[in-house]
Amino acid sequence: MKLKDDIRTQILSKVKKIVVKIGTGVLTTDDGYLDKEQIKNLAGQAVELNKMGYHVVVVSSGAIGSGMGELGIEKRPATLPELQAVAAVGQSKLISMYDDCFKLHGYHAAQILLTREDFEDRQRYLNTCNTIHTLFQLNAIPVVNENDTISVDEIKFGDNDALSALVTNLLNAELLIILSSVDGLYDKFPAGKSKAAVIPMVKNVSDEVRQLAFDLKTKRGVGGMQTKLEAASVVTNAGEAVIIANGRMDGVLKKIVQGEHIGTLFLPKEEKMTSRKRWIGYTIKPKGKVYIDDGAMHALTEKGKSLLASGIVSVEGTFTKGDIITICGKGNGTIVARGLTNYSSEEIEKIKGCSTSHIAKTLGYKLYDEVIHRDNMVIL
Ligand code: GLU
């Protein structure tokens, strides 16, 4: 126990920027309306952290949930246009409630609505980052949500757990706190007969850990533990920490930064990923896939090598030089890595299986020895 506490304290002592993700279940009452007391409480806590010297960004769900409450809709709509319309009603309620609550402390809510495209476009990505850093200099707390009203399936983050992981990566924030309606990651199904306990610390989001993602979905939100674990995997791989805790616990944010042993802490990988690698590995949606043989798999994952044409067995999708693609194992298609390709899908189709010295002969030219250079690749 002592050792665990030491790790927590050690990690928390390096934290300067914190992304706090607040789920719909934490923000709405049982009858579907925004829970003003709860928002007031969390806004007050965010301000407190800010006054302690942390830069805090809130990623808040609740647009659809609050829209449903406002419009008296009981069941979460199933179609995209309906969801978008409901979100348009709910988001304005949500942000004005945050603003009212921050105003009590002399702060402002700064609304930032994002789509996946804003992360894919380098210019917009950097602008978002700059705006948030500028807001840190003002008495304003950024409140981020997906721009549900204009997001269509192809450009959706899917859920705010994924969005909060990308925002953490964007800002190189050292800690992502996911506030949920559960106390953390349980060691067994929490509604069962035998009592489940919260796992205090997870070293690695392994397949075994993923098995513990019991589905406790609420009526209004999306996600559940599975998407939280995916978010934890993204952030910890990039070298930052994640804590999943109960958003209704009294003074939860302050307790966390003071090192109290609550929720589940996901340990960061030792090495911090550069911003560029975070961008390659997690931010950009891949344009295609290459499948590789066992030898290449070993070279990439065990030896830290680049991907050569000789190890590629097949190509999927249409992409050009400079696109991000996924590298998968040939057998079961397991995702191994992502990287920036030096060759188009058409070229790879021709040179797959070729030794490097044969590329020029096959194509009539050779751009690079490697199909994906190690420096442009992230093992997942
Ligand atoms: N953006 C959605 C909303 O505000 C929430 C998505 C989620 O809960 O993950 O309702």
Side-chain angles (χ1 to χ4, degrees):
M1 198 61 158
K2 180 86 179 70
L3 183 66
K4 285 177 191 164
D5 283 343
D6 285 349
I7 294 175
R8 217 176 235 254
T9 315
Q10 217 178 314
I11 289 170
L12 290 168
S13 68
K14 297 193 186 114
V15 171
K16 294 191 189 82
K17 284 174 266 184
I18 306 176
V19 175
V20 180
K21 189 262 168 176
I22 312 177
T24 305
V26 178
L27 294 175
T28 46
T29 55
D30 286 344
D31 51 8
Y33 285 94
L34 285 176
D35 186 342
K36 179 136 192 196
E37 277 315 302
Q38 177 65 1
I39 295 183
K40 204 188 219 171
N41 184 310
L42 288 168
Q45 292 188 52
V47 168
E48 209 177 345
L49 258 51
N50 202 278
K51 288 187 173 157
M52 287 166 82
Y54 296 103
H55 290 318
V56 181
V57 174
V58 171
V59 174
S60 181
S61 304
I64 295 172
S66 97
M68 284 168 63
E70 282 300 313
L71 298 164
I73 300 172
E74 291 258 319
K75 199 165 160 275
R76 189 182 163 90
T79 68
L80 193 60
E82 278 175 301
L83 285 167
Q84 292 178 319
V86 169
V89 173
Q91 178 64 30
S92 62
K93 290 278 160 215
L94 182 67
I95 200 70
S96 71
M97 202 167 279
Y98 269 108
D99 198 47
D100 288 350
C101 297
F102 284 132
K103 286 257 159 63
L104 299 172
H105 307 273
Y107 277 68
H108 305 272
Q111 173 173 257
I112 301 187
L113 298 177
L114 300 172
T115 64
R116 190 167 258 287
E117 281 181 326
D118 299 319
F119 282 81
E120 304 248 339
D121 181 300
R122 189 84 187 146
Q123 201 58 46
R124 289 200 224 167
Y125 185 76
L126 295 175
N127 280 343
T128 309
C129 189
N130 288 339
T131 304
I132 294 179
H133 278 105
T134 308
L135 286 165
F136 288 152
Q137 313 308 321
L138 307 169
N139 272 2
I141 308 274
V143 180
V144 181
N145 196 0
E146 177 157 13
N147 196 347
D148 292 308
T149 301
I150 58 160
S151 281
V152 287
D153 276 349
E154 300 73 48
I155 56 160
K156 265 193 143 344
F157 297 103
D159 56 78
N160 275 7
D161 295 321
L163 171 61
S164 67
L166 291 184
V167 171
T168 307
N169 265 351
L170 166 79
L171 299 171
N172 290 352
E174 298 84 0
L175 178 63
L176 166 64
I177 301 176
I178 300 182
L179 294 181
S180 151
S181 21
V182 294
D183 292 339
L185 179 67
Y186 291 105
D187 60 352
K188 52 175 88 73
F189 188 68
K193 275 202 184 111
S194 54
K195 208 163 159 25
V198 168
I199 302 172
M201 195 172 82
V202 172
K203 282 203 186 108
N204 179 20
V205 186
S206 59
D207 288 346
E208 215 181 336
V209 168
R210 285 189 167 89
Q211 300 290 319
L212 299 171
F214 308 110
D215 194 4
L216 295 171
K217 273 186 197 169
T218 58
K219 268 194 294 185
R220 294 185 177 78
V222 290
M225 192 49 80
Q226 200 179 346
T227 55
K228 290 176 182 46
L229 291 182
E230 286 320 315
S233 164
V234 168
V235 172
T236 53
N237 270 341
E240 317 293 0
V242 177
I243 293 178
I244 299 179
N246 194 325
R248 291 188 182 268
M249 176 186 271
D250 216 21
V252 61
L253 293 179
K254 196 166 174 194
K255 283 183 177 155
I256 286 176
V257 298
Q258 287 178 335
E260 274 194 44
H261 217 249
I262 53 172
T264 303
L265 165 68
F266 294 79
L267 294 185
K269 289 270 154 58
E270 256 167 48
E271 213 177 304
K272 278 194 199 289
M273 230 179 240
T274 59
S275 300
R276 189 162 176 281
K277 286 225 168 173
R278 292 176 193 215
W279 162 266
I280 291 174
Y282 300 109
T283 309
I284 297 284
K285 221 172 180 182
K287 293 269 169 35
K289 287 180 182 171
V290 287
Y291 291 86
I292 60 170
D293 63 22
D294 295 344
M297 171 91 92
H298 184 73
L300 259 54
T301 56
E302 305 296 326
K303 296 194 169 157
K305 300 274 194 206
S306 298
L307 177 65
L308 303 179
S310 56
I312 300 177
V313 294
S314 59
V315 195
E316 203 179 288
T318 308
F319 49 86
T320 57
K321 172 178 181 261
D323 280 341
I324 307 284
I325 60 169
T326 308
I327 304 170
C328 305
K330 76 170 172 16
N332 47 13
T334 328
I335 294 176
V336 182
R338 268 190 201 168
L340 205 143
T341 178
N342 286 330
Y343 289 96
S344 68
S345 46
E346 210 179 311
E347 289 166 326
I348 299 176
E349 194 58 62
K350 292 180 188 149
I351 60 173
K352 67 184 186 213
C354 270
S355 66
T356 306
S357 55
H358 276 80
I359 294 180
K361 213 168 131 208
T362 314
L363 289 180
Y365 55 89
K366 183 173 76 172
L367 303 171
Y368 299 87
D369 282 352
E370 311 83 9
V371 172
I372 299 180
H373 192 277
R374 188 69 197 181
D375 291 347
N376 296 328
M377 186 194 300
V378 175
I379 303 293
L380 298 173

